[in-house]
Amino acid sequence: PYLCTGFDMYITHEPCVMCTMAATHSRIGRVFWSTRNPYCEEGALGSNYKLHCDSRLNHRFKAYRGLCEAETRSVLGSKTVINSDSNLRNHSINISN
C-alpha cells in the first residue's frame, strides 16, 4: 500500500524536515545525500535532527551522508538559487540544463 517501500533515494542536499517526513511516510529504505543544504537550517538527517532513526515514528530508514560530495559541490556551486518565497523557508531549487 505504500509507494516507495524499500526504494533508495539519491539527493544532492540534506533534506528538510518536511521532505524527510515525506520519505518516512513513503517507506523509503535508504537515503543517500551529498552535502548539507546551506540555505536550509532545518536539516533532518543528521545536521539538526535525526528523524530517520526516531523511535517515535513507525518507520525508520538508513541515511548516508557525503556521497560524491566534491563532485556535487563543483557541479551545483553556481547552479543553486534561493527561492524568494518566504513561506517556503528558503529551500534551494536545483536548476538543470
Side-chain angles (χ1 to χ4, degrees), residues 31-51:
V31 175
F32 298 87
W33 59 279
S34 179
T35 179
R36 186 178 181 280
N37 189 340
Y39 305 111
C40 178
E41 298 175 6
E42 308 269 332
L45 292 182
S47 64
N48 291 322
Y49 305 104
K50 294 182 180 180
L51 293 180

Side-chain angles (χ1 to χ4, degrees), residues 24-93:
T24 300
H25 291 303
S26 297
R27 302 301 196 259
I28 288 289
R30 298 183 298 180
V31 175
F32 298 87
W33 59 279
S34 179
T35 179
R36 186 178 181 280
N37 189 340
Y39 305 111
C40 178
E41 298 175 6
E42 308 269 332
L45 292 182
S47 64
N48 291 322
Y49 305 104
K50 294 182 180 180
L51 293 180
H52 62 292
C53 57
D54 190 327
S55 63
R56 296 172 293 178
L57 300 175
N58 62 357
H59 177 72
R60 286 167 287 289
F61 55 88
K62 300 282 186 181
Y64 301 91
R65 180 184 70 161
L67 179 69
C68 302
E69 185 173 358
E71 293 87 347
T72 300
R73 288 183 188 275
S74 68
V75 171
L76 295 180
S78 62
K79 295 183 179 183
T80 303
V81 297
I82 299 174
N83 189 329
S84 61
D85 185 353
S86 62
N87 292 330
L88 295 179
R89 304 243 331 133
N90 294 329
H91 284 72
S92 66
I93 299 172

